[in-house]
Amino acid sequence: MAPKKRIRGSTRTSQSCSKEETKTGSLSEDSVVESAQGVKGKRKAVTSGKTRKQSISKDELHERPQFCHWLMKSEPESRFENGIDVKFGIEDLKALPNQRGCWDGVRNYQARNFMRDMKEGQQAFFYHSNCKEPGIAGIVKIVKESYVDHTQFDKNDVHYDASSKADNPKWSMVDVQFERMLKRFIPLSEMKKIHLEHKARVGPLKDMALFTRPRLSVQPLTSGKWRSLPVMYTPLKVYISVNIHCSKKLREHVIITV
DNA sequence: GCCAACGTTGGC
DNA sequence: GCCAACGTTGGC
């Protein structure tokens, strides 16, 4: 009945299920760190920290900084997996009843863990991936906190996971609702350009998971990134300095007029 | 726990 | 379609 949707996974509108409890993974406030702990199953989600660029400190293992903003990737152009079109752009979300849908199909532990951290009412950028012009298209709101992703048990679904058991489901999802389009689409190419101009050392895009973890389909954003992204890319080229130096009131004004 | 092989993501 | 990056698997 319901339209399909895709993340680096996919989705359909759906209702309910129980909320999952297990919290796993770890992160740090200004850089995304791999989830290394607690993934239930035979193996850790991550191999030895020594072999990875970003190893995990003890502090990071025991602290879970709270993020308030997110970036969620989905594919706006048709692509077929096992004969099923996984297309789901922000326009597809808008077209759903109440402009609301579930973000199912996430099959990456770190992305799943971030979804489990999401709180009702929080906002996320809707990012278009694997398309002609990848980038941030709009803003959605989390309207239902994480619960069991039913597609893991559906043999006909692209994201069926035979290894997941009903009494211990592996995968979770959240419900999101369309909030608004950005006044101007923010292409990945522009974000990259800015990122390179700053040689990735300074600026609001420093350590952004979009660059440090390009394959992560659900990622957190610091408040600074959330605020400055739209500001940075206004047609007027209002720039980082605006965000850094202007008063809070002016900054908010700039942001809401973007 | 280590690590090589394999599979997937996603920009280009 | 290519392929780099990196997450996952599974033998040891």
Side-chain angles (χ1 to χ4, degrees), chain A residues 138-174:
Chain A
I139 294 174
V140 299
K141 188 167 66 181
I142 310 304
V143 289
K144 183 179 170 72
E145 293 177 15
S146 76
Y147 59 109
V148 174
D149 178 349
H150 57 88
T151 63
Q152 66 197 300
F153 306 121
D154 181 356
K155 286 184 180 168
N156 297 318
D157 195 279
V158 178
H159 301 102
Y160 172 65
D161 181 355
S163 71
S164 182
K165 303 301 169 202
D167 57 356
N168 186 21
K170 277 188 183 175
W171 306 111
S172 306
M173 62 187 183
V174 296

Short mmCIF file of all heavy atoms in Angstrom, two decimals, chain A residues 138-174:
data_model
loop_
_atom_site.label_atom_id
_atom_site.label_comp_id
_atom_site.label_asym_id
_atom_site.label_seq_id
_atom_site.Cartn_x
_atom_site.Cartn_y
_atom_site.Cartn_z
N GLY A 138 16.54 19.69 1.94
CA GLY A 138 15.53 20.25 2.83
C GLY A 138 15.71 19.80 4.27
O GLY A 138 16.74 19.23 4.63
N ILE A 139 14.68 20.07 5.05
CA ILE A 139 14.73 19.76 6.48
C ILE A 139 13.53 18.90 6.86
O ILE A 139 12.40 19.17 6.43
CB ILE A 139 14.73 21.06 7.30
CG1 ILE A 139 16.03 21.84 7.03
CG2 ILE A 139 14.58 20.77 8.80
CD1 ILE A 139 16.09 23.21 7.67
N VAL A 140 13.80 17.87 7.62
CA VAL A 140 12.73 17.01 8.14
C VAL A 140 12.79 17.00 9.66
O VAL A 140 13.80 17.39 10.25
CB VAL A 140 12.84 15.56 7.60
CG1 VAL A 140 12.72 15.53 6.09
CG2 VAL A 140 14.14 14.90 8.06
N LYS A 141 11.72 16.53 10.26
CA LYS A 141 11.65 16.48 11.71
C LYS A 141 11.45 15.03 12.15
O LYS A 141 10.74 14.27 11.50
CB LYS A 141 10.47 17.33 12.17
CG LYS A 141 10.39 17.54 13.67
CD LYS A 141 9.40 18.63 14.02
CE LYS A 141 7.98 18.24 13.66
NZ LYS A 141 6.99 19.28 13.95
N ILE A 142 12.09 14.65 13.23
CA ILE A 142 11.88 13.32 13.78
C ILE A 142 10.54 13.33 14.52
O ILE A 142 10.35 14.11 15.45
CB ILE A 142 13.00 12.94 14.79
CG1 ILE A 142 14.39 13.19 14.19
CG2 ILE A 142 12.83 11.51 15.27
CD1 ILE A 142 14.67 12.49 12.88
N VAL A 143 9.62 12.49 14.08
CA VAL A 143 8.30 12.48 14.71
C VAL A 143 8.01 11.19 15.47
O VAL A 143 7.00 11.08 16.15
CB VAL A 143 7.18 12.74 13.66
CG1 VAL A 143 7.23 14.19 13.20
CG2 VAL A 143 7.28 11.79 12.49
N LYS A 144 8.88 10.22 15.33
CA LYS A 144 8.73 9.00 16.14
C LYS A 144 10.12 8.44 16.39
O LYS A 144 10.90 8.22 15.44
CB LYS A 144 7.87 7.98 15.42
CG LYS A 144 7.61 6.70 16.22
CD LYS A 144 6.70 5.76 15.42
CE LYS A 144 6.58 4.38 16.02
NZ LYS A 144 5.80 4.32 17.25
N GLU A 145 10.43 8.22 17.66
CA GLU A 145 11.76 7.73 18.01
C GLU A 145 11.93 6.26 17.62
O GLU A 145 10.97 5.59 17.26
CB GLU A 145 12.01 7.97 19.51
CG GLU A 145 12.10 9.46 19.80
CD GLU A 145 12.28 9.79 21.28
OE1 GLU A 145 12.63 8.88 22.06
OE2 GLU A 145 12.08 10.96 21.65
N SER A 146 13.14 5.77 17.71
CA SER A 146 13.48 4.49 17.08
C SER A 146 12.61 3.32 17.54
O SER A 146 12.26 3.21 18.71
CB SER A 146 14.95 4.17 17.32
OG SER A 146 15.14 3.73 18.63
N TYR A 147 12.27 2.51 16.60
CA TYR A 147 11.51 1.28 16.86
C TYR A 147 11.94 0.25 15.82
O TYR A 147 12.75 0.54 14.94
CB TYR A 147 10.00 1.54 16.83
CG TYR A 147 9.43 2.10 15.54
CD1 TYR A 147 8.63 1.30 14.73
CD2 TYR A 147 9.68 3.40 15.15
CE1 TYR A 147 8.07 1.80 13.56
CE2 TYR A 147 9.13 3.91 13.96
CZ TYR A 147 8.33 3.11 13.18
OH TYR A 147 7.79 3.60 12.02
N VAL A 148 11.43 -0.95 15.96
CA VAL A 148 11.90 -2.05 15.12
C VAL A 148 11.59 -1.81 13.64
O VAL A 148 10.47 -1.48 13.27
CB VAL A 148 11.27 -3.38 15.57
CG1 VAL A 148 11.64 -4.50 14.61
CG2 VAL A 148 11.72 -3.73 16.97
N ASP A 149 12.59 -1.97 12.82
CA ASP A 149 12.42 -1.88 11.38
C ASP A 149 11.85 -3.20 10.87
O ASP A 149 12.53 -4.22 10.83
CB ASP A 149 13.79 -1.59 10.74
CG ASP A 149 13.72 -1.53 9.22
OD1 ASP A 149 12.68 -1.91 8.64
OD2 ASP A 149 14.72 -1.12 8.61
N HIS A 150 10.59 -3.17 10.49
CA HIS A 150 9.89 -4.41 10.11
C HIS A 150 10.45 -5.03 8.82
O HIS A 150 10.28 -6.22 8.59
CB HIS A 150 8.40 -4.13 9.93
CG HIS A 150 8.12 -3.05 8.93
ND1 HIS A 150 7.97 -3.31 7.59
CD2 HIS A 150 8.03 -1.70 9.07
CE1 HIS A 150 7.77 -2.17 6.95
NE2 HIS A 150 7.80 -1.17 7.83
N THR A 151 11.13 -4.23 8.01
CA THR A 151 11.58 -4.76 6.71
C THR A 151 12.66 -5.83 6.87
O THR A 151 12.88 -6.62 5.96
CB THR A 151 12.11 -3.64 5.79
OG1 THR A 151 13.27 -3.04 6.39
CG2 THR A 151 11.06 -2.57 5.57
N GLN A 152 13.31 -5.87 8.04
CA GLN A 152 14.34 -6.89 8.24
C GLN A 152 13.76 -8.30 8.24
O GLN A 152 14.47 -9.27 8.01
CB GLN A 152 15.12 -6.63 9.52
CG GLN A 152 14.33 -6.76 10.80
CD GLN A 152 15.01 -6.09 11.97
OE1 GLN A 152 16.12 -6.45 12.33
NE2 GLN A 152 14.35 -5.09 12.57
N PHE A 153 12.45 -8.40 8.52
CA PHE A 153 11.80 -9.72 8.58
C PHE A 153 11.01 -10.06 7.33
O PHE A 153 10.43 -11.13 7.23
CB PHE A 153 10.88 -9.79 9.79
CG PHE A 153 11.55 -9.46 11.09
CD1 PHE A 153 11.11 -8.40 11.87
CD2 PHE A 153 12.67 -10.18 11.52
CE1 PHE A 153 11.74 -8.08 13.06
CE2 PHE A 153 13.31 -9.87 12.70
CZ PHE A 153 12.85 -8.81 13.48
N ASP A 154 10.97 -9.13 6.40
CA ASP A 154 10.14 -9.30 5.19
C ASP A 154 10.98 -9.87 4.04
O ASP A 154 11.80 -9.16 3.46
CB ASP A 154 9.55 -7.94 4.80
CG ASP A 154 8.66 -8.03 3.57
OD1 ASP A 154 8.57 -9.13 2.97
OD2 ASP A 154 8.07 -7.00 3.21
N LYS A 155 10.74 -11.13 3.74
CA LYS A 155 11.56 -11.80 2.72
C LYS A 155 11.46 -11.14 1.36
O LYS A 155 12.34 -11.31 0.52
CB LYS A 155 11.16 -13.27 2.62
CG LYS A 155 11.66 -14.08 3.78
CD LYS A 155 11.35 -15.56 3.62
CE LYS A 155 11.89 -16.32 4.83
NZ LYS A 155 11.40 -17.69 4.90
N ASN A 156 10.37 -10.43 1.14
CA ASN A 156 10.21 -9.78 -0.16
C ASN A 156 10.84 -8.39 -0.20
O ASN A 156 10.85 -7.74 -1.24
CB ASN A 156 8.72 -9.66 -0.51
CG ASN A 156 8.08 -11.02 -0.65
OD1 ASN A 156 8.67 -11.93 -1.24
ND2 ASN A 156 6.90 -11.19 -0.07
N ASP A 157 11.32 -7.96 0.92
CA ASP A 157 11.90 -6.62 0.96
C ASP A 157 13.37 -6.65 0.58
O ASP A 157 14.09 -7.61 0.87
CB ASP A 157 11.73 -6.03 2.37
CG ASP A 157 11.98 -4.53 2.38
OD1 ASP A 157 13.16 -4.11 2.41
OD2 ASP A 157 10.98 -3.77 2.32
N VAL A 158 13.78 -5.57 -0.06
CA VAL A 158 15.19 -5.43 -0.47
C VAL A 158 16.13 -5.56 0.73
O VAL A 158 17.24 -6.03 0.60
CB VAL A 158 15.40 -4.04 -1.11
CG1 VAL A 158 16.86 -3.85 -1.49
CG2 VAL A 158 14.51 -3.88 -2.33
N HIS A 159 15.63 -5.15 1.88
CA HIS A 159 16.52 -5.10 3.04
C HIS A 159 16.26 -6.21 4.05
O HIS A 159 16.59 -6.08 5.23
CB HIS A 159 16.40 -3.73 3.70
CG HIS A 159 16.78 -2.63 2.77
ND1 HIS A 159 15.84 -1.86 2.13
CD2 HIS A 159 17.98 -2.24 2.30
CE1 HIS A 159 16.46 -1.01 1.34
NE2 HIS A 159 17.74 -1.22 1.41
N TYR A 160 15.68 -7.28 3.56
CA TYR A 160 15.48 -8.47 4.40
C TYR A 160 16.82 -8.93 4.97
O TYR A 160 17.83 -8.99 4.26
CB TYR A 160 14.86 -9.57 3.56
CG TYR A 160 14.77 -10.90 4.26
CD1 TYR A 160 13.97 -11.06 5.38
CD2 TYR A 160 15.51 -12.00 3.80
CE1 TYR A 160 13.90 -12.29 6.03
CE2 TYR A 160 15.44 -13.23 4.44
CZ TYR A 160 14.64 -13.38 5.56
OH TYR A 160 14.56 -14.58 6.20
N ASP A 161 16.82 -9.25 6.26
CA ASP A 161 18.04 -9.73 6.90
C ASP A 161 17.75 -11.05 7.59
O ASP A 161 17.17 -11.09 8.68
CB ASP A 161 18.54 -8.69 7.91
CG ASP A 161 19.83 -9.12 8.59
OD1 ASP A 161 20.30 -10.26 8.36
OD2 ASP A 161 20.39 -8.32 9.37
N ALA A 162 18.18 -12.12 6.94
CA ALA A 162 17.89 -13.46 7.45
C ALA A 162 18.54 -13.70 8.81
O ALA A 162 18.11 -14.57 9.56
CB ALA A 162 18.36 -14.50 6.44
N SER A 163 19.55 -12.94 9.12
CA SER A 163 20.27 -13.16 10.38
C SER A 163 19.60 -12.48 11.57
O SER A 163 19.99 -12.67 12.70
CB SER A 163 21.71 -12.67 10.25
OG SER A 163 21.74 -11.26 10.19
N SER A 164 18.61 -11.66 11.30
CA SER A 164 17.94 -10.95 12.39
C SER A 164 16.75 -11.76 12.89
O SER A 164 15.93 -12.23 12.11
CB SER A 164 17.47 -9.58 11.91
OG SER A 164 16.88 -8.87 12.97
N LYS A 165 16.68 -11.92 14.18
CA LYS A 165 15.62 -12.73 14.78
C LYS A 165 14.55 -11.85 15.44
O LYS A 165 14.88 -10.82 16.03
CB LYS A 165 16.20 -13.68 15.83
CG LYS A 165 17.30 -14.59 15.27
CD LYS A 165 16.78 -15.46 14.11
CE LYS A 165 17.92 -16.17 13.39
NZ LYS A 165 17.57 -16.58 12.02
N ALA A 166 13.32 -12.32 15.38
CA ALA A 166 12.19 -11.55 15.91
C ALA A 166 12.36 -11.24 17.40
O ALA A 166 11.94 -10.19 17.88
CB ALA A 166 10.89 -12.29 15.67
N ASP A 167 12.97 -12.17 18.13
CA ASP A 167 13.12 -11.93 19.57
C ASP A 167 14.35 -11.08 19.90
O ASP A 167 14.58 -10.73 21.05
CB ASP A 167 13.20 -13.27 20.34
CG ASP A 167 14.34 -14.14 19.84
OD1 ASP A 167 15.01 -13.75 18.86
OD2 ASP A 167 14.55 -15.21 20.43
N ASN A 168 15.11 -10.75 18.86
CA ASN A 168 16.26 -9.87 19.07
C ASN A 168 16.57 -9.12 17.77
O ASN A 168 17.58 -9.39 17.12
CB ASN A 168 17.48 -10.69 19.54
CG ASN A 168 18.65 -9.80 19.91
OD1 ASN A 168 18.47 -8.61 20.21
ND2 ASN A 168 19.85 -10.36 19.89
N PRO A 169 15.68 -8.22 17.41
CA PRO A 169 15.83 -7.54 16.11
C PRO A 169 17.11 -6.72 16.05
O PRO A 169 17.48 -6.08 17.03
CB PRO A 169 14.61 -6.61 16.05
CG PRO A 169 13.70 -7.06 17.13
CD PRO A 169 14.55 -7.69 18.17
N LYS A 170 17.74 -6.74 14.89
CA LYS A 170 18.99 -6.00 14.74
C LYS A 170 18.76 -4.54 14.38
O LYS A 170 19.53 -3.67 14.76
CB LYS A 170 19.80 -6.61 13.59
CG LYS A 170 20.63 -7.81 13.95
CD LYS A 170 21.51 -8.14 12.75
CE LYS A 170 22.33 -9.37 13.01
NZ LYS A 170 23.11 -9.76 11.81
N TRP A 171 17.74 -4.29 13.59
CA TRP A 171 17.66 -2.98 12.92
C TRP A 171 16.48 -2.13 13.38
O TRP A 171 15.40 -2.66 13.63
CB TRP A 171 17.62 -3.19 11.40
CG TRP A 171 18.76 -4.03 10.94
CD1 TRP A 171 18.70 -5.30 10.44
CD2 TRP A 171 20.16 -3.69 10.97
NE1 TRP A 171 19.96 -5.77 10.16
CE2 TRP A 171 20.88 -4.81 10.48
CE3 TRP A 171 20.87 -2.57 11.37
CZ2 TRP A 171 22.28 -4.82 10.37
CZ3 TRP A 171 22.27 -2.57 11.27
CH2 TRP A 171 22.95 -3.69 10.77
N SER A 172 16.75 -0.87 13.47
CA SER A 172 15.74 0.08 13.93
C SER A 172 15.47 1.14 12.87
O SER A 172 16.24 1.29 11.93
CB SER A 172 16.23 0.80 15.19
OG SER A 172 16.62 -0.13 16.17
N MET A 173 14.39 1.86 13.08
CA MET A 173 14.10 2.99 12.20
C MET A 173 13.41 4.09 13.00
O MET A 173 13.00 3.88 14.14
CB MET A 173 13.23 2.55 11.03
CG MET A 173 11.88 2.01 11.42
SD MET A 173 11.04 1.35 9.97
CE MET A 173 9.47 0.90 10.68
N VAL A 174 13.30 5.25 12.40
CA VAL A 174 12.53 6.34 13.01
C VAL A 174 11.52 6.82 11.98
O VAL A 174 11.63 6.47 10.80
CB VAL A 174 13.44 7.52 13.42
CG1 VAL A 174 14.43 7.13 14.50
CG2 VAL A 174 14.17 8.11 12.21
#
